[in-house]
Amino acid sequence: MKNAIKLNDGHSLPRLGLGVWQIPNDDTAGVVSTAINAGYRLIDGAFIYGNEEGMGKGIVQSDVARDALFVTSKVWNSEQGYDKARRAIEDSLKRIGLEYLNMCLIHWPCPVKDQYVDTWKALIAAQKDGQIRSIGVSNFNPDHLDRIIGETGVSPVVNQIEVNPRLIQEKMRAENKSRNIVTQSWTPMGQLASFGAPAIVDICNRLERTPAQVILRWHLQLGASVIPRSTEVAHLTENLAAADFELSDKDMAAISALDEGQRCGPDPVAFEDE
Ligand SMILES: NC(=O)c1ccc[n+]([C@@H]2O[C@H](COP(=O)([O-])OP(=O)(O)OC[C@H]3O[C@@H](n4cnc5c(N)ncnc54)[C@H](OP(=O)(O)O)[C@@H]3O)[C@@H](O)[C@H]2O)c1
């Protein structure tokens, strides 16, 4: 398995990255630079995480050149609409201290607000202007995907959705794949709820791997990109090693059988928080 996935726009997305949600801004620079120096090349941030400055500092403090990194941000719900989204992208770039984002996502569709098509047009324009290399979405259902593609002719490269052993999202992952959109898994460890499941413990014992490694490996073998968060150096290193081993088809199926259709986060149909 290669370390990167080719996107439908020709760019390459690292399979495994660092998510920075809930990391305080003051701690983010240290975590990001440590992660990059340990081998991470993808950093998944967002305006609403409140730590874009820290993320930018961490990138500068790391030993790796900016052009070897893949930096993502997201347009928050309150910034939807063409003009607001364009400003939000410029503001994120300023806060992070970058000239371009590798990827920008619409964070949630907010279907009641019904501005995601205009927001998508803002991402398309920002891409044309060189502010963003790749454009994608997050928490989009099939009808939301079809609408932005139908109205603009431009397909997202990624749909970042909640996926973990308790919410395997088989249907939504297939919907993404059928449109040549990469699934990127958020909350990939599902609040650690499956760490003690007998199927996971059995695989860990046989392969001498940790629950985090087994679950992250399951994501990778599903064909997803995955963005676990950690502020612990030992966990950052442990999680990177998910790239170094193989799960059998039987073990993959045993993990997928833990599905309960149980979300950790909100349902995209209903989530409109600003
Ligand atoms: N698009 C969206 O709507 C959306 C929504 C939610 C999240 N996200 C993105 O997805 C990223 C990941 O999701 P998440 O932050 O919710 O959760 P997560 O990555 O599934 O889990 C994070 C938790 O796992 C622990 N952990 C990490 N590695 C571990 C290991 N090897 N052993 C034991 N525990 C470990 C962390 O604690 P330690 O710090 O102690 O390691 C932390 O408590 C976010 O940071 C964000 O970038 C996107």
Side-chain angles (χ1 to χ4, degrees), residues 16-20 23 27-40 42-43 189 210 212-213 216 227-243:
L16 198 146
L18 172 75
V20 299
I23 303 179
D27 300 341
T28 303
V31 175
V32 166
S33 62
T34 301
I36 293 172
N37 291 345
Y40 287 78
L42 160 63
I43 311 293
M189 295 198 273
T210 66
Q213 288 171 333
L216 294 173
I227 44 171
R229 161 176 56 96
S230 180
T231 55
E232 298 292 327
V233 180
H235 288 167
L236 287 170
T237 314
E238 178 186 323
N239 295 349
L240 271 185

PDB file of all heavy atoms in Angstrom, residues 16-20 23 27-40 42-43 189 210 212-213 216 227-243:
ATOM      1  N   LEU A  16      -2.339   8.813   6.104  1.00  0.00           N
ATOM      2  CA  LEU A  16      -2.483   8.953   7.550  1.00  0.00           C
ATOM      3  C   LEU A  16      -1.987  10.321   7.987  1.00  0.00           C
ATOM      4  O   LEU A  16      -0.892  10.735   7.590  1.00  0.00           O
ATOM      5  CB  LEU A  16      -1.674   7.840   8.240  1.00  0.00           C
ATOM      6  CG  LEU A  16      -2.014   7.542   9.683  1.00  0.00           C
ATOM      7  CD1 LEU A  16      -1.847   6.053   9.969  1.00  0.00           C
ATOM      8  CD2 LEU A  16      -1.174   8.331  10.653  1.00  0.00           C
ATOM      9  N   GLY A  17      -2.813  11.031   8.753  1.00  0.00           N
ATOM     10  CA  GLY A  17      -2.420  12.371   9.170  1.00  0.00           C
ATOM     11  C   GLY A  17      -2.784  12.631  10.616  1.00  0.00           C
ATOM     12  O   GLY A  17      -3.284  11.748  11.317  1.00  0.00           O
ATOM     13  N   LEU A  18      -2.532  13.851  11.032  1.00  0.00           N
ATOM     14  CA  LEU A  18      -2.826  14.277  12.410  1.00  0.00           C
ATOM     15  C   LEU A  18      -4.047  15.194  12.405  1.00  0.00           C
ATOM     16  O   LEU A  18      -4.066  16.194  11.679  1.00  0.00           O
ATOM     17  CB  LEU A  18      -1.635  15.047  12.984  1.00  0.00           C
ATOM     18  CG  LEU A  18      -1.875  15.722  14.340  1.00  0.00           C
ATOM     19  CD1 LEU A  18      -1.887  14.680  15.465  1.00  0.00           C
ATOM     20  CD2 LEU A  18      -0.816  16.788  14.623  1.00  0.00           C
ATOM     21  N   GLY A  19      -5.049  14.883  13.223  1.00  0.00           N
ATOM     22  CA  GLY A  19      -6.175  15.793  13.438  1.00  0.00           C
ATOM     23  C   GLY A  19      -5.890  16.657  14.655  1.00  0.00           C
ATOM     24  O   GLY A  19      -5.324  16.171  15.640  1.00  0.00           O
ATOM     25  N   VAL A  20      -6.278  17.921  14.612  1.00  0.00           N
ATOM     26  CA  VAL A  20      -5.915  18.819  15.729  1.00  0.00           C
ATOM     27  C   VAL A  20      -7.126  19.394  16.472  1.00  0.00           C
ATOM     28  O   VAL A  20      -6.994  20.349  17.237  1.00  0.00           O
ATOM     29  CB  VAL A  20      -4.956  19.951  15.277  1.00  0.00           C
ATOM     30  CG1 VAL A  20      -3.654  19.364  14.752  1.00  0.00           C
ATOM     31  CG2 VAL A  20      -5.595  20.878  14.248  1.00  0.00           C
ATOM     32  N   ILE A  23      -7.270  20.498  20.495  1.00  0.00           N
ATOM     33  CA  ILE A  23      -5.941  20.783  21.057  1.00  0.00           C
ATOM     34  C   ILE A  23      -5.880  22.297  21.292  1.00  0.00           C
ATOM     35  O   ILE A  23      -6.094  23.079  20.362  1.00  0.00           O
ATOM     36  CB  ILE A  23      -4.809  20.327  20.108  1.00  0.00           C
ATOM     37  CG1 ILE A  23      -4.948  18.827  19.790  1.00  0.00           C
ATOM     38  CG2 ILE A  23      -3.443  20.626  20.736  1.00  0.00           C
ATOM     39  CD1 ILE A  23      -3.900  18.269  18.836  1.00  0.00           C
ATOM     40  N   ASP A  27      -0.931  24.808  22.783  1.00  0.00           N
ATOM     41  CA  ASP A  27      -0.238  23.508  22.731  1.00  0.00           C
ATOM     42  C   ASP A  27      -0.055  23.011  21.302  1.00  0.00           C
ATOM     43  O   ASP A  27       0.695  22.055  21.066  1.00  0.00           O
ATOM     44  CB  ASP A  27      -1.059  22.421  23.474  1.00  0.00           C
ATOM     45  CG  ASP A  27      -1.283  22.766  24.937  1.00  0.00           C
ATOM     46  OD1 ASP A  27      -0.529  23.613  25.448  1.00  0.00           O
ATOM     47  OD2 ASP A  27      -2.209  22.200  25.537  1.00  0.00           O
ATOM     48  N   THR A  28      -0.759  23.642  20.366  1.00  0.00           N
ATOM     49  CA  THR A  28      -0.841  23.057  19.021  1.00  0.00           C
ATOM     50  C   THR A  28       0.498  23.105  18.284  1.00  0.00           C
ATOM     51  O   THR A  28       0.859  22.139  17.591  1.00  0.00           O
ATOM     52  CB  THR A  28      -1.953  23.759  18.203  1.00  0.00           C
ATOM     53  OG1 THR A  28      -3.178  23.618  18.935  1.00  0.00           O
ATOM     54  CG2 THR A  28      -2.133  23.144  16.827  1.00  0.00           C
ATOM     55  N   ALA A  29       1.243  24.208  18.437  1.00  0.00           N
ATOM     56  CA  ALA A  29       2.524  24.304  17.720  1.00  0.00           C
ATOM     57  C   ALA A  29       3.437  23.138  18.102  1.00  0.00           C
ATOM     58  O   ALA A  29       4.041  22.492  17.231  1.00  0.00           O
ATOM     59  CB  ALA A  29       3.211  25.640  18.013  1.00  0.00           C
ATOM     60  N   GLY A  30       3.513  22.875  19.399  1.00  0.00           N
ATOM     61  CA  GLY A  30       4.385  21.792  19.869  1.00  0.00           C
ATOM     62  C   GLY A  30       3.945  20.436  19.338  1.00  0.00           C
ATOM     63  O   GLY A  30       4.774  19.637  18.877  1.00  0.00           O
ATOM     64  N   VAL A  31       2.630  20.185  19.375  1.00  0.00           N
ATOM     65  CA  VAL A  31       2.125  18.886  18.908  1.00  0.00           C
ATOM     66  C   VAL A  31       2.366  18.744  17.401  1.00  0.00           C
ATOM     67  O   VAL A  31       2.834  17.697  16.927  1.00  0.00           O
ATOM     68  CB  VAL A  31       0.606  18.741  19.221  1.00  0.00           C
ATOM     69  CG1 VAL A  31       0.062  17.452  18.628  1.00  0.00           C
ATOM     70  CG2 VAL A  31       0.358  18.782  20.720  1.00  0.00           C
ATOM     71  N   VAL A  32       2.068  19.816  16.658  1.00  0.00           N
ATOM     72  CA  VAL A  32       2.203  19.741  15.193  1.00  0.00           C
ATOM     73  C   VAL A  32       3.671  19.556  14.789  1.00  0.00           C
ATOM     74  O   VAL A  32       3.987  18.699  13.949  1.00  0.00           O
ATOM     75  CB  VAL A  32       1.580  20.995  14.526  1.00  0.00           C
ATOM     76  CG1 VAL A  32       1.984  21.131  13.065  1.00  0.00           C
ATOM     77  CG2 VAL A  32       0.052  20.942  14.642  1.00  0.00           C
ATOM     78  N   SER A  33       4.581  20.321  15.399  1.00  0.00           N
ATOM     79  CA  SER A  33       5.989  20.171  14.997  1.00  0.00           C
ATOM     80  C   SER A  33       6.531  18.803  15.409  1.00  0.00           C
ATOM     81  O   SER A  33       7.272  18.158  14.647  1.00  0.00           O
ATOM     82  CB  SER A  33       6.866  21.308  15.547  1.00  0.00           C
ATOM     83  OG  SER A  33       6.847  21.296  16.942  1.00  0.00           O
ATOM     84  N   THR A  34       6.112  18.312  16.582  1.00  0.00           N
ATOM     85  CA  THR A  34       6.542  16.973  17.015  1.00  0.00           C
ATOM     86  C   THR A  34       6.038  15.919  16.033  1.00  0.00           C
ATOM     87  O   THR A  34       6.777  15.007  15.631  1.00  0.00           O
ATOM     88  CB  THR A  34       5.991  16.660  18.427  1.00  0.00           C
ATOM     89  OG1 THR A  34       6.487  17.651  19.322  1.00  0.00           O
ATOM     90  CG2 THR A  34       6.423  15.287  18.904  1.00  0.00           C
ATOM     91  N   ALA A  35       4.759  16.059  15.647  1.00  0.00           N
ATOM     92  CA  ALA A  35       4.177  15.074  14.730  1.00  0.00           C
ATOM     93  C   ALA A  35       4.885  15.101  13.371  1.00  0.00           C
ATOM     94  O   ALA A  35       5.232  14.050  12.815  1.00  0.00           O
ATOM     95  CB  ALA A  35       2.681  15.354  14.552  1.00  0.00           C
ATOM     96  N   ILE A  36       5.133  16.295  12.860  1.00  0.00           N
ATOM     97  CA  ILE A  36       5.799  16.392  11.548  1.00  0.00           C
ATOM     98  C   ILE A  36       7.197  15.776  11.638  1.00  0.00           C
ATOM     99  O   ILE A  36       7.595  14.985  10.773  1.00  0.00           O
ATOM    100  CB  ILE A  36       5.847  17.861  11.065  1.00  0.00           C
ATOM    101  CG1 ILE A  36       4.429  18.374  10.770  1.00  0.00           C
ATOM    102  CG2 ILE A  36       6.730  17.991   9.812  1.00  0.00           C
ATOM    103  CD1 ILE A  36       4.342  19.867  10.465  1.00  0.00           C
ATOM    104  N   ASN A  37       7.912  16.108  12.696  1.00  0.00           N
ATOM    105  CA  ASN A  37       9.271  15.553  12.823  1.00  0.00           C
ATOM    106  C   ASN A  37       9.257  14.032  13.009  1.00  0.00           C
ATOM    107  O   ASN A  37      10.225  13.350  12.676  1.00  0.00           O
ATOM    108  CB  ASN A  37      10.024  16.240  13.958  1.00  0.00           C
ATOM    109  CG  ASN A  37      10.344  17.695  13.616  1.00  0.00           C
ATOM    110  OD1 ASN A  37      10.254  18.091  12.449  1.00  0.00           O
ATOM    111  ND2 ASN A  37      10.687  18.494  14.609  1.00  0.00           N
ATOM    112  N   ALA A  38       8.121  13.504  13.530  1.00  0.00           N
ATOM    113  CA  ALA A  38       8.005  12.050  13.699  1.00  0.00           C
ATOM    114  C   ALA A  38       7.626  11.358  12.386  1.00  0.00           C
ATOM    115  O   ALA A  38       7.714  10.137  12.293  1.00  0.00           O
ATOM    116  CB  ALA A  38       6.954  11.741  14.761  1.00  0.00           C
ATOM    117  N   GLY A  39       7.170  12.146  11.395  1.00  0.00           N
ATOM    118  CA  GLY A  39       6.854  11.523  10.099  1.00  0.00           C
ATOM    119  C   GLY A  39       5.503  11.887   9.513  1.00  0.00           C
ATOM    120  O   GLY A  39       5.186  11.498   8.392  1.00  0.00           O
ATOM    121  N   TYR A  40       4.663  12.619  10.266  1.00  0.00           N
ATOM    122  CA  TYR A  40       3.354  13.019   9.718  1.00  0.00           C
ATOM    123  C   TYR A  40       3.552  14.071   8.623  1.00  0.00           C
ATOM    124  O   TYR A  40       4.383  14.977   8.770  1.00  0.00           O
ATOM    125  CB  TYR A  40       2.461  13.613  10.811  1.00  0.00           C
ATOM    126  CG  TYR A  40       1.924  12.584  11.787  1.00  0.00           C
ATOM    127  CD1 TYR A  40       2.733  12.081  12.809  1.00  0.00           C
ATOM    128  CD2 TYR A  40       0.624  12.116  11.689  1.00  0.00           C
ATOM    129  CE1 TYR A  40       2.249  11.134  13.696  1.00  0.00           C
ATOM    130  CE2 TYR A  40       0.136  11.168  12.576  1.00  0.00           C
ATOM    131  CZ  TYR A  40       0.944  10.682  13.573  1.00  0.00           C
ATOM    132  OH  TYR A  40       0.474   9.744  14.450  1.00  0.00           O
ATOM    133  N   LEU A  42       0.439  15.075   6.811  1.00  0.00           N
ATOM    134  CA  LEU A  42      -0.913  15.626   6.659  1.00  0.00           C
ATOM    135  C   LEU A  42      -1.381  16.170   8.003  1.00  0.00           C
ATOM    136  O   LEU A  42      -1.362  15.457   9.008  1.00  0.00           O
ATOM    137  CB  LEU A  42      -1.858  14.507   6.175  1.00  0.00           C
ATOM    138  CG  LEU A  42      -3.369  14.670   6.387  1.00  0.00           C
ATOM    139  CD1 LEU A  42      -3.909  15.877   5.626  1.00  0.00           C
ATOM    140  CD2 LEU A  42      -4.100  13.404   5.929  1.00  0.00           C
ATOM    141  N   ILE A  43      -1.784  17.447   8.024  1.00  0.00           N
ATOM    142  CA  ILE A  43      -2.319  18.061   9.236  1.00  0.00           C
ATOM    143  C   ILE A  43      -3.737  18.522   8.933  1.00  0.00           C
ATOM    144  O   ILE A  43      -3.956  19.318   8.010  1.00  0.00           O
ATOM    145  CB  ILE A  43      -1.476  19.283   9.691  1.00  0.00           C
ATOM    146  CG1 ILE A  43       0.031  18.949   9.730  1.00  0.00           C
ATOM    147  CG2 ILE A  43      -1.959  19.798  11.051  1.00  0.00           C
ATOM    148  CD1 ILE A  43       0.447  17.943  10.768  1.00  0.00           C
ATOM    149  N   MET A 189     -11.111   6.610  15.976  1.00  0.00           N
ATOM    150  CA  MET A 189     -11.028   5.633  17.071  1.00  0.00           C
ATOM    151  C   MET A 189     -12.300   5.593  17.897  1.00  0.00           C
ATOM    152  O   MET A 189     -12.379   4.884  18.898  1.00  0.00           O
ATOM    153  CB  MET A 189      -9.798   5.919  17.904  1.00  0.00           C
ATOM    154  CG  MET A 189      -8.603   5.671  17.002  1.00  0.00           C
ATOM    155  SD  MET A 189      -7.087   5.460  17.767  1.00  0.00           S
ATOM    156  CE  MET A 189      -6.557   7.134  17.886  1.00  0.00           C
ATOM    157  N   THR A 210      -1.293  -2.743  19.009  1.00  0.00           N
ATOM    158  CA  THR A 210      -2.183  -2.087  19.966  1.00  0.00           C
ATOM    159  C   THR A 210      -3.564  -1.879  19.314  1.00  0.00           C
ATOM    160  O   THR A 210      -3.682  -1.887  18.083  1.00  0.00           O
ATOM    161  CB  THR A 210      -1.619  -0.715  20.376  1.00  0.00           C
ATOM    162  OG1 THR A 210      -1.645   0.141  19.221  1.00  0.00           O
ATOM    163  CG2 THR A 210      -0.199  -0.826  20.909  1.00  0.00           C
ATOM    164  N   ALA A 212      -5.203   0.848  18.936  1.00  0.00           N
ATOM    165  CA  ALA A 212      -5.160   2.008  18.035  1.00  0.00           C
ATOM    166  C   ALA A 212      -4.573   1.608  16.681  1.00  0.00           C
ATOM    167  O   ALA A 212      -5.102   1.980  15.625  1.00  0.00           O
ATOM    168  CB  ALA A 212      -4.334   3.128  18.668  1.00  0.00           C
ATOM    169  N   GLN A 213      -3.498   0.835  16.707  1.00  0.00           N
ATOM    170  CA  GLN A 213      -2.859   0.433  15.434  1.00  0.00           C
ATOM    171  C   GLN A 213      -3.795  -0.449  14.604  1.00  0.00           C
ATOM    172  O   GLN A 213      -3.898  -0.276  13.384  1.00  0.00           O
ATOM    173  CB  GLN A 213      -1.555  -0.312  15.716  1.00  0.00           C
ATOM    174  CG  GLN A 213      -0.458   0.605  16.219  1.00  0.00           C
ATOM    175  CD  GLN A 213       0.759  -0.159  16.703  1.00  0.00           C
ATOM    176  OE1 GLN A 213       0.664  -1.312  17.139  1.00  0.00           O
ATOM    177  NE2 GLN A 213       1.913   0.481  16.618  1.00  0.00           N
ATOM    178  N   LEU A 216      -6.658   1.757  13.214  1.00  0.00           N
ATOM    179  CA  LEU A 216      -6.180   2.653  12.141  1.00  0.00           C
ATOM    180  C   LEU A 216      -5.841   1.850  10.884  1.00  0.00           C
ATOM    181  O   LEU A 216      -6.108   2.284   9.760  1.00  0.00           O
ATOM    182  CB  LEU A 216      -4.976   3.473  12.626  1.00  0.00           C
ATOM    183  CG  LEU A 216      -5.301   4.479  13.740  1.00  0.00           C
ATOM    184  CD1 LEU A 216      -4.026   5.125  14.283  1.00  0.00           C
ATOM    185  CD2 LEU A 216      -6.280   5.549  13.259  1.00  0.00           C
ATOM    186  N   ILE A 227      -7.240  10.422  10.093  1.00  0.00           N
ATOM    187  CA  ILE A 227      -6.601  11.582  10.736  1.00  0.00           C
ATOM    188  C   ILE A 227      -6.729  11.527  12.261  1.00  0.00           C
ATOM    189  O   ILE A 227      -7.346  12.394  12.872  1.00  0.00           O
ATOM    190  CB  ILE A 227      -7.217  12.891  10.186  1.00  0.00           C
ATOM    191  CG1 ILE A 227      -8.762  12.783  10.111  1.00  0.00           C
ATOM    192  CG2 ILE A 227      -6.636  13.228   8.817  1.00  0.00           C
ATOM    193  CD1 ILE A 227      -9.456  14.103   9.795  1.00  0.00           C
ATOM    194  N   PRO A 228      -6.122  10.509  12.903  1.00  0.00           N
ATOM    195  CA  PRO A 228      -6.220  10.427  14.359  1.00  0.00           C
ATOM    196  C   PRO A 228      -5.561  11.628  15.039  1.00  0.00           C
ATOM    197  O   PRO A 228      -4.590  12.181  14.536  1.00  0.00           O
ATOM    198  CB  PRO A 228      -5.446   9.150  14.686  1.00  0.00           C
ATOM    199  CG  PRO A 228      -4.481   8.981  13.559  1.00  0.00           C
ATOM    200  CD  PRO A 228      -5.214   9.490  12.348  1.00  0.00           C
ATOM    201  N   ARG A 229      -6.126  11.978  16.192  1.00  0.00           N
ATOM    202  CA  ARG A 229      -5.541  13.054  17.004  1.00  0.00           C
ATOM    203  C   ARG A 229      -4.811  12.436  18.180  1.00  0.00           C
ATOM    204  O   ARG A 229      -5.307  11.495  18.801  1.00  0.00           O
ATOM    205  CB  ARG A 229      -6.655  13.966  17.538  1.00  0.00           C
ATOM    206  CG  ARG A 229      -6.272  14.825  18.741  1.00  0.00           C
ATOM    207  CD  ARG A 229      -7.419  15.742  19.112  1.00  0.00           C
ATOM    208  NE  ARG A 229      -8.649  15.033  19.361  1.00  0.00           N
ATOM    209  CZ  ARG A 229      -9.078  14.676  20.579  1.00  0.00           C
ATOM    210  NH1 ARG A 229      -8.369  14.961  21.656  1.00  0.00           N
ATOM    211  NH2 ARG A 229     -10.226  14.046  20.724  1.00  0.00           N
ATOM    212  N   SER A 230      -3.659  12.981  18.503  1.00  0.00           N
ATOM    213  CA  SER A 230      -3.021  12.653  19.768  1.00  0.00           C
ATOM    214  C   SER A 230      -2.116  13.803  20.175  1.00  0.00           C
ATOM    215  O   SER A 230      -1.539  14.480  19.325  1.00  0.00           O
ATOM    216  CB  SER A 230      -2.186  11.372  19.664  1.00  0.00           C
ATOM    217  OG  SER A 230      -1.607  11.118  20.932  1.00  0.00           O
ATOM    218  N   THR A 231      -2.003  14.007  21.482  1.00  0.00           N
ATOM    219  CA  THR A 231      -1.044  14.995  21.982  1.00  0.00           C
ATOM    220  C   THR A 231       0.113  14.280  22.679  1.00  0.00           C
ATOM    221  O   THR A 231       0.978  14.927  23.260  1.00  0.00           O
ATOM    222  CB  THR A 231      -1.734  15.963  22.970  1.00  0.00           C
ATOM    223  OG1 THR A 231      -2.358  15.202  23.994  1.00  0.00           O
ATOM    224  CG2 THR A 231      -2.775  16.819  22.272  1.00  0.00           C
ATOM    225  N   GLU A 232       0.103  12.955  22.637  1.00  0.00           N
ATOM    226  CA  GLU A 232       1.141  12.148  23.303  1.00  0.00           C
ATOM    227  C   GLU A 232       2.167  11.671  22.281  1.00  0.00           C
ATOM    228  O   GLU A 232       1.792  11.016  21.294  1.00  0.00           O
ATOM    229  CB  GLU A 232       0.509  10.907  23.953  1.00  0.00           C
ATOM    230  CG  GLU A 232      -0.498  11.200  25.029  1.00  0.00           C
ATOM    231  CD  GLU A 232       0.160  11.811  26.261  1.00  0.00           C
ATOM    232  OE1 GLU A 232       1.315  11.462  26.563  1.00  0.00           O
ATOM    233  OE2 GLU A 232      -0.489  12.654  26.900  1.00  0.00           O
ATOM    234  N   VAL A 233       3.439  11.952  22.537  1.00  0.00           N
ATOM    235  CA  VAL A 233       4.478  11.555  21.584  1.00  0.00           C
ATOM    236  C   VAL A 233       4.432  10.047  21.320  1.00  0.00           C
ATOM    237  O   VAL A 233       4.508   9.600  20.175  1.00  0.00           O
ATOM    238  CB  VAL A 233       5.882  11.950  22.106  1.00  0.00           C
ATOM    239  CG1 VAL A 233       6.963  11.546  21.117  1.00  0.00           C
ATOM    240  CG2 VAL A 233       5.947  13.436  22.371  1.00  0.00           C
ATOM    241  N   ALA A 234       4.269   9.273  22.396  1.00  0.00           N
ATOM    242  CA  ALA A 234       4.277   7.808  22.225  1.00  0.00           C
ATOM    243  C   ALA A 234       3.116   7.370  21.340  1.00  0.00           C
ATOM    244  O   ALA A 234       3.269   6.481  20.492  1.00  0.00           O
ATOM    245  CB  ALA A 234       4.196   7.128  23.588  1.00  0.00           C
ATOM    246  N   HIS A 235       1.940   7.996  21.508  1.00  0.00           N
ATOM    247  CA  HIS A 235       0.782   7.636  20.689  1.00  0.00           C
ATOM    248  C   HIS A 235       0.975   8.074  19.235  1.00  0.00           C
ATOM    249  O   HIS A 235       0.580   7.359  18.306  1.00  0.00           O
ATOM    250  CB  HIS A 235      -0.491   8.286  21.243  1.00  0.00           C
ATOM    251  CG  HIS A 235      -0.967   7.662  22.524  1.00  0.00           C
ATOM    252  ND1 HIS A 235      -1.913   8.236  23.328  1.00  0.00           N
ATOM    253  CD2 HIS A 235      -0.625   6.490  23.130  1.00  0.00           C
ATOM    254  CE1 HIS A 235      -2.150   7.458  24.374  1.00  0.00           C
ATOM    255  NE2 HIS A 235      -1.366   6.402  24.280  1.00  0.00           N
ATOM    256  N   LEU A 236       1.586   9.249  19.049  1.00  0.00           N
ATOM    257  CA  LEU A 236       1.830   9.726  17.671  1.00  0.00           C
ATOM    258  C   LEU A 236       2.666   8.699  16.914  1.00  0.00           C
ATOM    259  O   LEU A 236       2.362   8.352  15.756  1.00  0.00           O
ATOM    260  CB  LEU A 236       2.555  11.082  17.693  1.00  0.00           C
ATOM    261  CG  LEU A 236       1.726  12.303  18.117  1.00  0.00           C
ATOM    262  CD1 LEU A 236       2.632  13.511  18.336  1.00  0.00           C
ATOM    263  CD2 LEU A 236       0.656  12.621  17.074  1.00  0.00           C
ATOM    264  N   THR A 237       3.716   8.204  17.547  1.00  0.00           N
ATOM    265  CA  THR A 237       4.606   7.227  16.910  1.00  0.00           C
ATOM    266  C   THR A 237       3.895   5.893  16.716  1.00  0.00           C
ATOM    267  O   THR A 237       3.973   5.277  15.649  1.00  0.00           O
ATOM    268  CB  THR A 237       5.862   7.013  17.788  1.00  0.00           C
ATOM    269  OG1 THR A 237       6.333   8.286  18.192  1.00  0.00           O
ATOM    270  CG2 THR A 237       6.952   6.277  17.054  1.00  0.00           C
ATOM    271  N   GLU A 238       3.182   5.485  17.762  1.00  0.00           N
ATOM    272  CA  GLU A 238       2.428   4.221  17.711  1.00  0.00           C
ATOM    273  C   GLU A 238       1.435   4.240  16.532  1.00  0.00           C
ATOM    274  O   GLU A 238       1.326   3.274  15.786  1.00  0.00           O
ATOM    275  CB  GLU A 238       1.680   4.072  19.036  1.00  0.00           C
ATOM    276  CG  GLU A 238       0.804   2.851  19.166  1.00  0.00           C
ATOM    277  CD  GLU A 238      -0.008   2.890  20.477  1.00  0.00           C
ATOM    278  OE1 GLU A 238       0.516   3.352  21.518  1.00  0.00           O
ATOM    279  OE2 GLU A 238      -1.167   2.460  20.444  1.00  0.00           O
ATOM    280  N   ASN A 239       0.753   5.359  16.359  1.00  0.00           N
ATOM    281  CA  ASN A 239      -0.276   5.443  15.317  1.00  0.00           C
ATOM    282  C   ASN A 239       0.325   5.404  13.910  1.00  0.00           C
ATOM    283  O   ASN A 239      -0.259   4.821  12.993  1.00  0.00           O
ATOM    284  CB  ASN A 239      -1.118   6.707  15.522  1.00  0.00           C
ATOM    285  CG  ASN A 239      -1.906   6.659  16.833  1.00  0.00           C
ATOM    286  OD1 ASN A 239      -1.977   5.617  17.480  1.00  0.00           O
ATOM    287  ND2 ASN A 239      -2.484   7.781  17.219  1.00  0.00           N
ATOM    288  N   LEU A 240       1.504   6.010  13.755  1.00  0.00           N
ATOM    289  CA  LEU A 240       2.171   5.980  12.433  1.00  0.00           C
ATOM    290  C   LEU A 240       2.468   4.549  11.993  1.00  0.00           C
ATOM    291  O   LEU A 240       2.450   4.233  10.797  1.00  0.00           O
ATOM    292  CB  LEU A 240       3.499   6.733  12.500  1.00  0.00           C
ATOM    293  CG  LEU A 240       3.540   8.220  12.217  1.00  0.00           C
ATOM    294  CD1 LEU A 240       4.998   8.688  12.239  1.00  0.00           C
ATOM    295  CD2 LEU A 240       2.885   8.586  10.892  1.00  0.00           C
ATOM    296  N   ALA A 241       2.729   3.673  12.980  1.00  0.00           N
ATOM    297  CA  ALA A 241       3.097   2.288  12.657  1.00  0.00           C
ATOM    298  C   ALA A 241       1.909   1.475  12.138  1.00  0.00           C
ATOM    299  O   ALA A 241       2.073   0.307  11.780  1.00  0.00           O
ATOM    300  CB  ALA A 241       3.721   1.607  13.874  1.00  0.00           C
ATOM    301  N   ALA A 242       0.728   2.078  12.072  1.00  0.00           N
ATOM    302  CA  ALA A 242      -0.414   1.401  11.436  1.00  0.00           C
ATOM    303  C   ALA A 242      -0.122   1.128   9.960  1.00  0.00           C
ATOM    304  O   ALA A 242      -0.773   0.281   9.336  1.00  0.00           O
ATOM    305  CB  ALA A 242      -1.672   2.260  11.567  1.00  0.00           C
ATOM    306  N   ALA A 243       0.853   1.855   9.419  1.00  0.00           N
ATOM    307  CA  ALA A 243       1.202   1.652   8.002  1.00  0.00           C
ATOM    308  C   ALA A 243       2.043   0.401   7.783  1.00  0.00           C
ATOM    309  O   ALA A 243       2.234  -0.030   6.646  1.00  0.00           O
ATOM    310  CB  ALA A 243       1.966   2.884   7.494  1.00  0.00           C
TER     311      ALA A 243
END
